[in-house]
Amino acid sequence: MRDVTEALLLTVVPALSTLCPEQRSGAVCVWCPRALPPGEGVDLSSDGRLRACAPCHMVQARVLATYLGWYDHGITCLRCPLGPCDRGQVLATRHQAAREQAGKPPLRCVHCRAIIEPGEQARPHLWQGLSGPVYSYLHARPCLR
Ligand SMILES: [Zn+2]
Ligand SMILES: [Zn+2]
Ligand SMILES: [Zn+2]
């Protein structure tokens, strides 16, 4: 899987204002209420100010790595633009499973804003936002609305 250390940090930064002071100082995991004694957990920022417990880090890194794997496939595959190929399907399913494990909400299409239902095809839509890359999704077929 791809190294997502830097990307992982960027996904936390937009949510900084929602973190409690303990989380912002690295004393508590940024994703759960677990306290992290010095030496435990994974540093997200090089100054060690944002930290995660090992289980959260693994789950979140997996969400991102599976997203990027799916995205990388989609931009190089000649078949996926016509509807996901077998490999594209596998990568999409893998990413969905990782999201579920991380307790993420259902996918939402950034174009029509509707939830992408489990039976519908989605495709990753990665773009540069003001505070870093935005990992979003689109309906793979034209939106209904
Ligand atoms: Zn945690
Ligand atoms: Zn494909
Ligand atoms: Zn849509």
Side-chain angles (χ1 to χ4, degrees):
M1 280 204 289
R2 255 216 242 179
D3 179 23
V4 293
T5 313
E6 205 175 319
L8 210 49
L9 176 61
L10 286 170
T11 61
V12 183
V13 170
L16 266 187
S17 57
T18 66
L19 301 179
C20 68
E22 288 76 19
Q23 287 174 314
R24 266 179 282 177
S25 68
V28 169
C29 170
V30 292
W31 285 297
C32 78
R34 194 181 310 221
L36 297 170
E40 262 182 54
V42 185
D43 287 349
L44 294 176
S45 54
S46 48
D47 60 7
R49 275 188 53 238
L50 294 174
R51 298 164 71 219
C53 68
C56 284
H57 183 260
M58 208 179 74
V59 164
Q60 298 290 338
R62 194 168 160 73
V63 171
L64 211 49
T66 53
Y67 180 95
L68 293 172
W70 183 25
Y71 176 78
D72 285 348
H73 171 83
I75 54 176
T76 50
C77 180
L78 299 175
R79 273 204 47 206
C80 273
L82 310 169
C85 70
D86 289 349
R87 175 87 188 131
Q89 288 273 30
V90 168
L91 292 168
T93 308
R94 200 172 286 175
H95 176 62
Q96 284 279 28
R99 274 181 69 93
E100 250 167 64
Q101 209 191 358
K104 304 259 187 203
L107 303 190
R108 195 175 277 278
C109 173
V110 286
H111 179 68
C112 69
R113 308 249 156 217
I115 284 178
I116 301 172
E117 303 292 339
E120 293 179 311
Q121 306 282 7
R123 64 186 166 92
H125 180 56
L126 179 58
W127 50 285
Q128 291 299 320
L130 288 177
S131 53
V134 181
Y135 305 94
S136 61
Y137 309 90
L138 288 169
H139 279 109
R141 307 265 161 76
C143 303
L144 294 173
R145 299 178 230 172

